[in-house]
Amino acid sequence: MVTEFIRTLYDYSAWANQRILDTAAQLSPEQFLAKVGASFDSVRDTLVHIMGAQWIWLSRWQGVSPRALPRPEHFPDLGAIQARWDEIERDTQAFVSALDDARLAQVIAYTNTRGEPFAYPLWQLMTHQVNHATQHRSEVAVMLIQFGHSPGGLDLLVYFDLRKAR
């Protein structure tokens, strides 16, 4: 049951990420980089953070502890973000598809970007990553709405309803 829950969360998160990216494609380059921020200055900076966090957590689950997140200035436009995120998403989905309950129960030790050691069961880390992305997707949604482009509902039940309708 835990495995199916995690797979569902990661399918939902990929759907919600793409919904945000598709909406961000409607922004002008000036809007994309405008300092309107919440946790991060701009739509671009927040998207890079969400993408980078997904990458860093996946790396940690695979035994590597990167010392830094990707930098927003390395992603000048949405196309650059989408291209890199597509790779991360493929790697994430491959990782998720190989999971079972025993693997999800394993404790994963890692070192954060400040060099501090932590260890948690994999299922907790994976749930955290989706929750973290949800927070920042919400911030991007507000920025997009301020520019007149709503991504629509991003709730988990909206995802379930749309999936059921397929």
Side-chain angles (χ1 to χ4, degrees), residues 14 16 30 34 40 45 57 62-63 88-89 92 99 102 131 142-144 150 166:
E30 295 77 24
F40 299 91
D45 292 8
W57 282 111
Q62 295 173 322
I88 295 166
E89 192 57 48
T92 300
L99 293 172
N131 188 62
V142 169
M143 291 182 234
L144 292 169
S150 174
R166 280 191 251 153

Side-chain angles (χ1 to χ4, degrees), residues 8-65:
T8 299
L9 277 182
Y10 275 79
D11 191 47
Y12 158 73
S13 194
W15 168 83
N17 287 339
Q18 194 57 56
R19 197 162 179 151
I20 287 289
L21 290 166
D22 290 347
T23 306
Q26 299 173 50
L27 299 177
S28 70
E30 295 77 24
Q31 290 171 326
F32 185 66
L33 298 173
K35 292 187 184 255
V36 293
S39 295
F40 299 91
D41 283 342
S42 65
V43 170
R44 189 255 329 248
D45 292 8
T46 309
L47 290 175
V48 170
H49 177 75
I50 300 166
M51 176 193 69
Q54 183 174 338
W55 165 78
I56 207 166
W57 282 111
L58 179 61
S59 298
R60 289 169 177 165
W61 306 332
Q62 295 173 322
V64 178
S65 293

Side-chain angles (χ1 to χ4, degrees), residues 11 18 25 40 54 58 70 77 91 93 97 105 114 128 150 162:
D11 191 47
Q18 194 57 56
F40 299 91
Q54 183 174 338
L58 179 61
D77 56 33
D91 293 346
Q93 291 302 324
S97 70
R114 292 181 298 279
H128 165 76
S150 174
L162 290 171

Side-chain angles (χ1 to χ4, degrees), residues 58-131:
L58 179 61
S59 298
R60 289 169 177 165
W61 306 332
Q62 295 173 322
V64 178
S65 293
R67 296 306 302 250
L69 287 164
R71 298 174 54 106
E73 56 270 18
H74 294 149
F75 299 89
D77 56 33
L78 187 60
I81 294 170
Q82 182 76 65
R84 180 64 180 116
W85 212 332
D86 287 347
E87 295 170 3
I88 295 166
E89 192 57 48
R90 277 191 299 275
D91 293 346
T92 300
Q93 291 302 324
F95 182 83
V96 170
S97 70
L99 293 172
D100 59 27
D101 285 357
R103 175 75 170 111
L104 285 164
Q106 289 179 338
V107 174
I108 303 297
Y110 67 94
T111 303
N112 71 10
T113 57
R114 292 181 298 279
E116 302 165 324
F118 291 93
Y120 297 92
L122 179 58
W123 75 267
Q124 290 179 1
L125 295 171
M126 294 187 76
T127 303
H128 165 76
Q129 191 274 312
V130 171
N131 188 62

